[in-house]
Amino acid sequence: MESQIILILFGGFLFLLFIGAPITVALGVSTLISFLYLDENPIKFVQIAFTSVGSFPLMALPAFILAGALMEASGLSRRLINVAESFAGPFTGGMSAATVFACLFFGAISGSGPATTAAVGMLMIPAMIDRGYGRSFSSAITASSGGLGIVIPPSIPLIIFGIAALGMPAPPAAVEEFGQFQTVSIPKLFIAGFMPAFLIAGSLLAMNYILAKKHGYSGSAKGWSARQIWCELYRGFWALMAPVVILGGIYSGFFTPTEAAIVAIFYTVVVGAFIYRELSWQKLFAALETTTWLTGRVLLIMFTATVFGRLLVENQIPAVIADGMLSVTENIYVIWTLVIFFLLFVGMFMETLATILILVPVMLPVAYSVGIDPIHFGVVMVCCLGIGFQTPPLGENLFIASGISNISIEKISLAALPFAFINTVAIFIIAFVPEISLWLPRFFGY
Amino acid sequence: KNFKIAVGDSGGSSQEATGIGFVNALEELSGGKHTGTLFLNGQLGSEQDTVNDAAIGTLDMSLLAINNITPFSPSVGVFTLPYVILSLEDAETLTNGPIGQELTENTINDAGVRIVAWTYTGFRVLTNSKKPVKSVADLKGLVIRVPKNEIMIDTYKAWGISPTPMAWSETFAGLQTKVVDGQDNPYTTINAMKFYEVQKYVTNIRYIFSIEPLIISEQVFQELSAEDQAIVLEAGKAATAASATFLREKEAEIKQILLENGMEISDPENNEEEFITLATEAVWPKFYDSIGGIEKMNAVLTAIGRDPVSE
Amino acid sequence: MTKFWYVIDNIESYICRTLLAIFVCLLFLQVVVRTLFDFSFSWVEELSIYMFVWFVFFGASYAAKMGAHNRVTFQFKFLPPGAIKYIEAFADLFWVFFNVYFVYLSIDFIFNKMNRFQSSQTLGFHLSWVYIVLPIAFALMTFRVLQVNYKKIIKGEDMRDPDAIDLDEVRAEAAELELEKA
Ligand code: NA
Ligand code: NA
């Protein structure tokens, strides 16, 4: 019975994906057919449609998308990047290091990888080329750091992971063996993402230094321009305050993440309309529209992925998968390795948020049953999918970088390989040393 | 038949104890013909969702807190009012007597689910990190976390403080970072959540006795043969008895654990009289309508030998 | 196309933008009132969640209209573009099947199966008024799926993925910024 259901559910799902059905349809139809096969009434879909979407924490998703779109439209993003650029200075590989920092900065307000790449790349790639950096190198480092945007909070993938994981508690057998697992919450996930993001950024900076040295990309002769730094800091003041408002609000316990995003929206509107005077009604409506279809698309998957997950749970399939996996090996490092390579592979051609929604019900129980902390697992998962942005054939970041620099995808991919390699090493370190993710949340009492 | 049983709480909870008691009795009484699988931790959806699922017949059974049935069948709300139940014996008298029978009839008619067993999870006792609380006056200056529940909020207001509604998932962190000073929950929960790490003082108030029924889909129940129906009801009685035993044994054991972890346990002064008067006078009258009138309230009070109230 | 038909053709977008603007403002109001006056409206959270649910399902229909629902397409890399739209149209038949079935289920649920006491805790109305969005939005989405396939196959229009960042646009914008600097 179980094996037939697994065949219908996963077989149907993969078949539908293969013939080009939208991911949400593949999930919904394969689940519906499994229900009919089991002779169960699928009427519970209706209630799940309502309850899977109708939750307060989930409202953080449109709120952050809207906040990000408005920051872009109001010129806040551009000013943040200018600040990073002004710090480039006289170092070897200084400009490309500034690109990494710009992605870190910008990532703190934007929730999305491709958005980070586009916003940063537009300014930094031409600037790097100007100073004699190779075109493919410039594109590659931008595409590779764009993934930081989804690891550094606020992160839309971490929100989605948090929501999916909340509905996926630890199986009793795992609790018996490893004790209670900590509860998943979005602020906790956010704070857990910090140190891993800095580790990845550090690894990129190291690789950047090595390559820049090799290529002879030295700093500008002029050295630091204190005046320019001061100037950009002054111009970017209101933009720099945005992450402070968002993160400070969340961690002082003042706001929930949803409320922080709401406050960020109003903050951006005020700054964009009255201080920077770049926000028009038209741009405001466009931002609302983008938020509409992006949210509708992701959360329709939320619904179908939830019915998919419910069918798995009711037929105790995650336990079967976990047992299968554990019968191969019980070594946590081997399991991490399999998980990481699988996620890197899937991240190449599947959209990130959909991937999270589909894989959490399948993989989180496996993680629990070998004693992996859910917060740690979420951080590693999002890091892996962040790298998926820069890997062909569907590395969205690569496409964008290629558009800006006029260099073919193949060339950029090749130039991005060292960065992808060092990122992967960083991910293994993050996976094998849970404290990198878990120390900070504990320190702050989460 | 293998009954799918949704359970809201995790392993080690009173709910699970009732569930295990039910499944064991069911297997024994049916000679192995029937059994049940527990899906712990709300894996089959939130407690409220499971009521609808059972009503439609897409879920067999569910174990859930009684306040999650109230929206679907308001008359069971009588058990959620403060100080209606003052002891485990009261709870047993009410649930196993004609009152319990009447509420079961109501849930069948209103919500399409039948209560087959009752979990007694115990009184929600008050804990805090600041000072021993023995009187209503001691509450002053404490920030107490409550769930988003009208009755609980009203009760604390009747005692003169404004409690802070906070989601369950944020509560432990809230107590740790001292955003809130205290909370109330049954002993089993306090122990399971290791609240002794962040709380010091326990007060044995009895304003709410947690009751968590086991419901079966009426549709599923009617599809069973008369003989099987009898077996399910009998297994339900065994589960109810198992729950009472579990509570008696567990609570004593847990109090010991809490003391060993440095908590101080005290009783309210004057047998809780001041707490009781303030709460019942302020809160009860607001809910007479929703539970079906003041007569229903008086029927409950008479059944446990207390004086009836008047408008 | 007249203004009227334009609005009708983008009806989900108008509904969603209105809902989004309202619930964002409501939540902001809640934050302000709580921070300044230490007070909160009990109904704001619930009402905004219901508006959010409406927003999501109409938004999903709008995404269908834009052809924005993500598909995995790398396996089509070596197929002629003409063939892909027929394969995707075939795949969309499953979508239509799912939606029609779901519309039937949700109508059955709302009108026959819902508990009569199940009301909003703070606002009092019966929850069927919220659930009603499901049959409406999924029916609308089905229409959008058919509309998109009609445009692609009969009219031969090229529906581009709204996600795909327009490279020419990016390039032009980058060049413009360069000019500004120089
Ligand atoms: Na971010
Ligand atoms: Na990807």
Side-chain angles (χ1 to χ4, degrees):
Chain A
M1 193 65 163
E2 272 157 4
S3 59
Q4 276 163 341
I5 278 302
I6 291 179
L7 192 71
I8 293 176
L9 192 62
F10 287 93
F13 173 66
L14 292 175
F15 168 74
L16 287 160
L17 275 192
F18 183 74
I19 62 169
I23 296 170
T24 185
V25 174
L27 285 166
V29 170
S30 56
T31 312
L32 180 57
I33 291 183
S34 304
F35 263 82
L36 298 176
Y37 174 80
L38 285 168
D39 203 20
E40 275 187 42
N41 189 346
I43 196 160
K44 57 175 77 151
F45 280 39
V46 181
Q47 189 162 257
I48 293 176
F50 180 77
T51 49
S52 63
V53 167
S55 83
F56 190 74
L58 203 51
M59 295 175 82
L61 179 85
F64 274 120
I65 294 177
L66 181 58
L70 287 170
M71 284 177 192
E72 181 78 48
S74 308
L76 271 74
S77 322
R78 208 182 61 241
R79 286 173 175 81
L80 282 182
I81 297 160
N82 287 341
V83 171
E85 191 188 344
S86 69
F87 277 98
F91 307 108
T92 301
M95 273 307 279
S96 40
T99 307
V100 177
F101 281 113
C103 288
L104 262 185
F105 261 142
F106 188 72
I109 51 169
S110 151
S112 119
T116 309
T117 310
V120 175
M122 214 118 76
L123 291 155
M124 295 304 287
I125 293 178
M128 280 188 275
I129 295 172
D130 268 359
R131 301 207 189 172
Y133 288 62
R135 276 176 179 258
S136 47
F137 175 85
S138 311
S139 315
I141 185 122
T142 313
S144 307
S145 359
L148 286 171
I150 71 166
V151 185
I152 273 271
S155 150
I156 292 175
L158 280 176
I159 294 174
I160 290 291
F161 176 87
I163 307 265
L166 273 175
M168 222 47 236
V175 176
E176 211 160 279
E177 193 172 347
F178 301 101
Q180 279 293 338
F181 290 84
Q182 62 175 328
T183 51
V184 175
S185 79
I186 291 166
K188 214 192 272 181
L189 279 165
F190 274 9
I191 207 161
F194 265 105
M195 301 238 294
F198 282 108
L199 181 71
I200 295 176
S203 73
L204 284 171
L205 287 173
M207 181 53 77
N208 168 57
Y209 184 78
I210 296 169
L211 292 176
K213 192 130 202 156
K214 191 177 126 203
H215 295 305
Y217 302 147
S218 57
S220 73
K222 285 180 287 181
W224 285 65
S225 160
R227 200 178 147 264
Q228 202 205 341
I229 291 178
W230 181 245
C231 221
E232 293 295 350
L233 277 178
Y234 178 77
R235 277 193 217 141
F237 175 77
W238 296 106
L240 284 166
M241 288 309 287
V244 176
V245 169
I246 296 178
L247 297 177
I250 295 177
Y251 294 120
S252 61
F254 231 62
F255 309 135
T256 63
T258 309
E259 291 170 341
I262 298 282
V263 172
I265 289 169
F266 280 83
Y267 177 84
T268 312
V269 168
V270 170
V271 172
F274 301 110
I275 301 180
Y276 293 161
R277 293 171 186 273
E278 288 185 30
L279 186 65
S280 59
W281 284 107
Q282 206 184 358
K283 282 184 178 173
L284 180 66
F285 289 143
L288 289 172
E289 195 201 1
T290 311
T291 310
T292 293
W293 64 262
L294 272 173
T295 311
R297 177 173 84 179
V298 174
L299 294 187
L300 190 65
I301 301 179
M302 185 89 194
F303 154 47
T304 50
T306 307
V307 289
F308 186 86
R310 181 66 59 80
L311 185 79
L312 292 179
V313 169
E314 278 183 24
N315 293 283
Q316 297 175 309
I317 293 172
V320 176
I321 295 175
D323 286 346
M325 193 121 176
L326 295 179
S327 69
V328 179
T329 174
E330 285 195 36
N331 184 317
I332 192 166
Y333 297 105
V334 179
I335 289 188
W336 264 128
T337 309
L338 293 174
V339 164
I340 290 171
F341 281 120
F342 179 70
L343 287 172
L344 288 176
F345 171 72
V346 174
M348 282 185 207
F349 47 83
M350 281 261 288
E351 196 269 336
T352 309
L353 300 181
T355 313
I356 294 173
L357 286 171
I358 296 164
L359 289 182
V360 166
V362 184
M363 295 179 85
L364 192 59
V366 178
Y368 275 128
S369 56
V370 289
I372 294 172
D373 181 276
I375 299 285
H376 181 212
F377 186 75
V379 169
V380 176
M381 186 171 207
V382 170
C383 289
C384 289
L385 298 174
I387 288 200
F389 283 125
Q390 68 196 52
T391 41
L394 216 161
E396 287 137 288
N397 292 1
L398 295 174
F399 284 101
I400 294 161
S402 131
I404 299 171
S405 64
N406 276 328
I407 293 278
S408 74
I409 300 273
E410 287 74 20
K411 273 193 186 155
I412 298 179
S413 306
L414 210 61
L417 276 182
F419 296 113
F421 167 77
I422 198 81
N423 268 347
T424 311
V425 172
I427 285 182
F428 271 96
I429 295 173
I430 294 163
F432 288 176
V433 189
E435 282 301 287
I436 297 173
S437 315
L438 299 179
W439 180 78
L440 206 57
R442 189 158 8 92
F443 180 80
F444 280 100
Y446 275 87
Chain B
K1 185 176 167 82
N2 183 355
F3 292 94
K4 276 182 191 164
I5 308 173
V7 183
D9 285 349
S10 58
S13 63
S14 313
Q15 286 189 5
E16 193 206 23
T18 308
I20 292 173
F22 179 78
V23 173
N24 288 342
L26 185 67
E27 286 176 350
E28 202 180 301
L29 291 167
S30 68
K33 194 175 126 205
H34 299 301
T35 180
T37 306
L38 303 179
F39 291 87
L40 299 170
N41 277 326
Q43 287 182 80
L44 299 188
S46 77
E47 292 193 353
Q48 287 201 14
D49 289 359
T50 62
V51 180
N52 254 331
D53 289 338
I56 299 168
T58 57
L59 173 69
D60 301 323
M61 306 178 110
S62 176
L63 256 161
L64 72 174
I66 196 154
N67 51 301
N68 286 319
I69 302 184
T70 321
F72 303 94
S73 182
S75 65
V76 299
V78 68
F79 286 164
T80 63
L81 292 178
Y83 294 114
V84 168
I85 295 169
L86 293 175
S87 65
L88 173 57
E89 289 69 31
D90 283 355
E92 290 185 281
T93 310
L94 288 174
T95 50
N96 299 329
I99 305 256
Q101 196 50 46
E102 192 190 331
L103 292 182
T104 302
E105 295 297 327
N106 288 351
T107 61
I108 294 170
N109 293 330
D110 296 341
V113 296
R114 175 187 290 263
I115 298 171
V116 293
W118 303 87
T119 309
Y120 307 118
T121 309
F123 290 108
R124 295 179 72 102
V125 297
L126 178 71
T127 70
N128 81 88
S129 55
K130 265 187 160 168
K131 59 184 180 187
V133 173
K134 293 203 167 113
S135 64
V136 174
D138 292 338
L139 283 172
K140 278 268 170 317
L142 290 180
V143 184
I144 305 293
R145 171 269 170 185
V146 288
K148 277 199 180 110
N149 177 302
E150 225 182 324
I151 293 174
M152 294 185 193
I153 295 172
D154 285 349
T155 306
Y156 277 97
K157 284 188 174 155
W159 293 333
I161 61 169
S162 185
T164 305
M166 184 183 270
W168 175 238
S169 56
E170 288 160 30
T171 301
F172 190 91
L175 293 167
Q176 193 169 35
T177 54
K178 303 250 173 8
V179 173
V180 287
D181 303 317
Q183 58 88 43
D184 63 61
N185 258 302
Y187 273 112
T188 43
T189 314
I190 291 168
N191 182 45
M193 291 300 295
K194 299 201 169 89
F195 276 154
Y196 47 76
E197 290 176 358
V198 291
Q199 300 275 275
K200 184 157 173 64
Y201 304 100
V202 183
T203 310
N204 286 320
I205 56 168
R206 296 173 292 169
Y207 83 125
I208 285 170
F209 185 90
S210 292
I211 293 185
E212 304 179 304
L214 171 65
I215 56 171
I216 183 169
S217 160
E218 183 63 9
Q219 201 175 319
V220 169
F221 187 76
Q222 291 305 335
E223 282 163 8
L224 298 173
S225 68
E227 188 194 349
D228 286 343
Q229 288 182 348
I231 289 176
V232 167
L233 294 179
E234 200 53 40
K237 288 203 178 107
T240 306
S243 167
T245 312
F246 180 82
L247 178 63
R248 286 196 176 93
E249 287 171 1
K250 202 75 185 177
E251 232 173 39
E253 192 184 309
I254 288 173
K255 278 185 189 166
Q256 201 51 45
I257 295 173
L258 299 187
L259 289 173
E260 281 163 16
N261 280 284
M263 286 187 113
E264 288 177 19
I265 302 177
S266 56
D267 290 319
E269 59 186 28
N270 278 334
N271 202 21
E272 219 170 333
E273 202 126 336
E274 200 187 356
F275 284 94
I276 297 179
T277 316
L278 287 171
T280 53
E281 281 177 359
V283 183
W284 284 5
K286 284 187 171 179
F287 293 92
Y288 289 153
D289 278 348
S290 68
I291 61 171
I294 194 167
E295 326 72 81
K296 301 283 177 198
M297 188 68 181
N298 283 331
V300 168
L301 292 175
T302 317
I304 46 174
R306 286 169 65 185
D307 295 335
V309 286
S310 52
E311 290 286 351
Chain C
M1 215 187 324
T2 63
K3 172 87 179 165
F4 174 74
W5 281 112
Y6 180 81
V7 172
I8 291 295
D9 196 37
N10 291 280
I11 187 73
E12 297 98 324
S13 175
Y14 286 93
I15 295 174
C16 286
R17 282 186 283 176
T18 312
L19 288 169
L20 176 61
I22 297 178
F23 75 69
V24 163
C25 290
L26 274 179
L27 292 176
F28 186 66
L29 175 80
Q30 180 84 311
V31 174
V32 170
V33 171
R34 195 192 60 210
T35 320
L36 297 184
F37 309 108
D38 204 16
F39 172 79
S40 57
F41 300 104
S42 58
W43 48 271
V44 165
E45 184 172 325
E46 209 184 1
L47 180 63
S48 49
I49 286 176
Y50 295 153
M51 295 177 84
F52 172 59
V53 172
W54 279 57
F55 164 79
V56 166
F57 287 105
F58 279 119
S61 178
Y62 189 57
K65 185 201 175 235
M66 299 178 65
H69 287 281
N70 300 101
R71 305 167 191 259
V72 175
T73 53
F74 74 97
Q75 74 278 23
F76 295 153
K77 220 173 173 178
F78 303 105
L79 287 178
I84 296 175
K85 64 183 178 189
Y86 289 102
I87 300 177
E88 287 189 348
F90 173 68
D92 284 354
L93 286 178
F94 289 91
W95 195 352
V96 172
F97 157 75
F98 179 86
N99 281 6
V100 170
Y101 201 114
F102 186 78
V103 169
Y104 158 74
L105 288 174
S106 51
I107 289 176
D108 186 31
F109 181 83
I110 294 167
F111 292 101
N112 305 323
K113 304 280 168 67
M114 250 179 122
N115 178 283
R116 65 195 151 102
F117 294 102
Q118 206 181 4
S119 307
S120 151
Q121 297 281 305
T122 56
L123 300 155
F125 55 76
H126 193 258
L127 282 191
S128 53
W129 288 106
V130 184
Y131 273 77
I132 199 77
V133 69
L134 297 174
I136 297 174
F138 276 81
L140 201 52
M141 195 192 307
T142 313
F143 171 73
R144 295 304 189 189
V145 174
L146 298 173
Q147 187 186 24
V148 164
N149 278 292
Y150 169 79
K151 279 185 186 166
K152 281 202 300 196
I153 292 176
I154 314 271
K155 290 268 194 94
E157 282 177 32
D158 184 24
M159 298 286 298
R160 44 193 296 275
D161 182 357
D163 254 347
I165 296 184
D166 189 337
L167 294 187
D168 292 330
E169 224 168 79
V170 171
R171 247 177 246 139
E173 224 170 299
E176 208 173 287
L177 286 167
E178 277 302 282
L179 276 180
E180 259 174 44
K181 274 193 183 167

